[in-house]
Amino acid sequence: MKFLDEAKVYIRSGDGGAGAVSFRREKFIEFGGPDGGDGGRGGDVWVEAVNGLNTLIDFRFQQHFKAKTGTHGMGRNRTGANGDHVTLKVPVGTQIFEEDNETLIVDMTKEGQKFRLAKGGNGGFGNTHFKTSTNQAPNWANPGLEGEEKTIWLRLKLIADAGLVGLPNAGKSTFLAAVTRARPKIANYPFTTLHPNLGVATIDEREFVLADIPGLIEGAHEGVGIGDRFLGHVERTRVLLHLVSAVEEKVGKAYKTVKTELEAYGGGLTDKQEIVALSQIDVLDEKELKKKAKELEKASGRTPFLISAVTGNGMTDVLRALRDVIIEASEGEETALPDRSVPVGDFDEEDGE
């Protein structure tokens, strides 16, 4: 399945059905009177966050979503049926924007969350509705109201507990493959990873989700390389694991390059807790390792973890460090927000939804 994190779609709710103009005409009934029923309501367009999706690829093949029109009213005071609703199924973490791609409509952050994007038109009144003591035979009815139509943007930001950042070939995909069951593409050339990957890591019976994104190079915020368009997928993480390859000639410069790109992107990434690790240490001798570890510590201002996904050295320690930060952050969120429920959104009890 291909990865797609942005899509543009057109939606339209259903028109309301027209009211009916009808009169009761039966043999032996002296005063028939109007009996035109009301039209049915048009269908709504909803969006729902569901489990099991991590891409918007379905919206590449279908970009138009239209709810059904309400059925017209009929004689004998029969109300038309309501039009069927249409529901867009999206991954958890999808944001819905107006056509300008800047105005946020709703952020789908929880499985099962629903929101009405377009309300169906009300059905028109039949001529029975207009009967009065002075006008007992009205010969008109209301047409149904038109539905709403708009073009919207869907933008996916994956929800993960920890994010992996670093230069291309820093060992991010190898790290992900070593600690999870994810199988990202791994090769000895830059930009092997072309789209984000997710995996579930387990340490001391505690699970958390890791997100691996394509590597950053100098000038990524200006579109150099793959650019920084995938950084949105680590905006929701609680901690960043910054990997610097021991193969780099100047590990301090490599660290600062990525740090500069994170600052240029914004999105609160530089405010997140960061764990720094010197990866691929199996390629260095002890003397060179100490030298580069000291250089990285000076550049980052913290003691880096020394890890090798191939030999397993230091992997348990860095996973436990990630776990501790995630637990601390989640406990803080529960204290600040005791009620983590997400409202359904634009909801009308009369709709019966």
Side-chain angles (χ1 to χ4, degrees):
M1 180 182 292
K2 292 185 177 180
F3 182 84
L4 187 69
D5 61 354
E6 191 172 70
K8 184 180 182 180
V9 299
Y10 167 84
I11 60 173
R12 194 185 198 287
S13 57
D15 297 337
V21 176
S22 176
F23 294 91
R24 184 177 182 184
R25 297 183 178 90
E26 297 180 48
K27 194 175 183 180
F28 306 120
I29 301 297
E30 184 176 359
F31 301 104
D35 66 351
D38 300 337
R41 263 201 60 188
D44 301 330
V45 179
W46 292 78
V47 61
E48 180 181 4
V50 298
N51 191 18
L53 294 178
N54 57 11
T55 175
L56 298 173
I57 189 64
D58 292 340
F59 298 97
R60 172 169 288 179
F61 307 106
Q62 182 180 358
Q63 294 92 29
H64 291 76
F65 296 85
K66 298 179 182 180
K68 297 294 184 180
T69 300
T71 304
H72 300 320
M74 294 168 282
R76 299 183 182 179
N77 290 317
R78 288 177 291 176
T79 300
N82 293 334
D84 294 334
H85 301 317
V86 168
T87 302
L88 282 64
K89 307 283 188 179
V90 299
V92 177
T94 301
Q95 294 179 318
I96 315 295
F97 290 87
E98 296 283 5
E99 189 173 5
D100 60 10
N101 208 0
E102 294 181 357
T103 306
L104 180 65
I105 299 175
V106 62
D107 193 358
M108 310 297 289
T109 58
K110 184 178 180 181
E111 181 183 348
Q113 181 182 354
K114 294 184 70 177
F115 186 86
R116 183 165 58 190
L117 296 172
K119 183 178 179 180
N122 289 326
F125 291 129
N127 65 338
T128 304
H129 185 84
F130 300 103
K131 179 181 177 181
T132 65
S133 60
T134 57
N135 185 6
Q136 297 195 7
N139 60 353
W140 67 87
N142 280 348
L145 297 180
E146 291 187 356
E148 301 174 358
E149 61 178 328
K150 63 176 71 174
T151 299
I152 59 174
W153 283 90
L154 310 180
R155 192 183 305 164
L156 174 62
K157 291 184 178 179
L158 296 176
I159 294 182
D161 299 304
L164 303 177
V165 296
L167 293 174
N169 276 6
K172 301 186 297 300
S173 296
T174 305
F175 183 93
L176 185 70
V179 300
T180 73
R181 291 186 177 182
R183 290 296 174 262
K185 184 177 181 180
I186 300 172
N188 189 26
Y189 56 83
F191 300 114
T192 309
T193 301
L194 297 176
H195 58 77
N197 294 297
L198 287 179
V200 179
T202 304
I203 184 69
D204 299 334
E205 299 183 354
R206 175 83 184 199
E207 293 184 344
F208 58 89
V209 180
L210 274 170
D212 168 32
I213 64 171
L216 301 170
I217 61 175
E218 188 173 357
H221 67 282
E222 297 175 345
V224 178
I226 295 181
D228 61 1
R229 65 178 299 262
F230 292 114
L231 279 177
H233 296 287
V234 294
E235 281 187 24
R236 303 181 190 270
T237 60
R238 296 184 172 96
V239 58
L240 295 178
L241 176 58
H242 190 155
L243 295 181
V244 181
S245 173
V247 179
E248 295 287 342
E249 185 176 350
K250 297 181 179 179
V251 293
K253 181 181 179 182
Y255 171 84
K256 290 180 179 178
T257 296
V258 175
K259 197 70 174 177
T260 299
E261 296 305 321
L262 295 179
E263 292 173 354
Y265 175 81
L269 295 184
T270 54
D271 298 328
K272 295 184 180 295
Q273 286 193 252
E274 180 187 57
I275 293 176
V276 181
L278 186 63
S279 62
Q280 301 171 343
I281 62 172
D282 51 285
V283 301
L284 300 180
D285 56 34
E286 187 174 348
K287 181 179 179 182
E288 190 69 16
L289 177 60
K290 288 182 178 179
K291 177 183 176 182
K292 291 196 173 183
K294 187 175 181 180
E295 181 184 349
L296 182 56
E297 180 178 0
K298 182 178 179 181
S300 64
R302 67 197 72 196
T303 303
F305 287 86
L306 307 179
I307 65 172
S308 170
V310 176
T311 63
N313 288 344
M315 298 292 283
T316 300
D317 293 336
V318 75
L319 286 176
R320 284 174 175 164
L322 290 170
R323 176 206 59 190
D324 292 343
V325 173
I326 292 168
I327 292 176
E328 181 182 352
S330 60
E331 289 176 350
E333 289 177 2
E334 290 174 359
T335 302
L337 298 170
D339 182 11
R340 295 174 62 87
S341 62
V342 178
V344 169
D346 190 357
F347 179 89
D348 283 345
E349 292 184 359
E350 64 183 16
D351 295 343
E353 287 297 335

